[in-house]
Amino acid sequence: MTIRHIVCWKLNALTPRKKADDAAGIVAGLESLMGVVPEIRALTVGPDVAGNENWDVALIADFDDLESLDRYQRHPEHKKVGAFIRTVVADRLAVDLEV
């Protein structure tokens, strides 16, 4: 069993430049967790490239099980990245799938 963690964020930036900077900060922060948080099996994160108005940035990350996902979410480095993300987002959607 693998748990696929999917998160989408709507940024609160009002200008395209600020939105791009905030998206880049989210991407860099989350990518920095690879190799630091051992529970992450795979991680893909990036800004929307099609110009959709629904969500600006998406994350797809795989974990061995729900316990691994929980350890990832409680990891101090993940919490640091999450603190930044909360300062730049207006809305968040998350779902966890068994794949």
Side-chain angles (χ1 to χ4, degrees), residues 34-99:
M34 287 296 294
V36 173
V37 180
E39 288 79 9
I40 301 170
R41 295 292 167 246
L43 184 143
T44 303
V45 60
D48 173 63
V49 296
N52 294 305
E53 294 184 19
N54 296 327
W55 301 100
D56 299 308
V57 181
L59 163 74
I60 301 169
D62 290 346
F63 301 88
D64 288 339
D65 48 37
L66 288 171
E67 292 78 15
S68 297
L69 173 60
D70 183 59
R71 286 191 301 276
Y72 157 78
Q73 291 174 327
R74 291 185 288 112
H75 193 283
E77 293 303 313
H78 176 265
K79 287 185 177 268
K80 288 179 189 176
V81 174
F84 165 73
I85 292 172
R86 284 188 295 279
T87 69
V88 298
V89 301
D91 202 2
R92 175 185 178 272
L93 169 140
V95 64
D96 301 303
L97 310 172
E98 190 174 76
V99 295

Side-chain angles (χ1 to χ4, degrees), residues 1-44:
M1 167 181 70
T2 296
I3 299 298
R4 181 153 294 154
H5 179 58
I6 303 167
V7 184
C8 298
W9 295 276
K10 182 76 171 169
L11 301 176
N12 60 22
L14 299 178
T15 67
R17 176 67 180 172
K18 175 72 169 137
K19 190 175 279 193
D21 289 347
D22 291 347
I26 291 172
V27 170
L30 289 168
E31 286 180 341
S32 76
L33 299 177
M34 287 296 294
V36 173
V37 180
E39 288 79 9
I40 301 170
R41 295 292 167 246
L43 184 143
T44 303

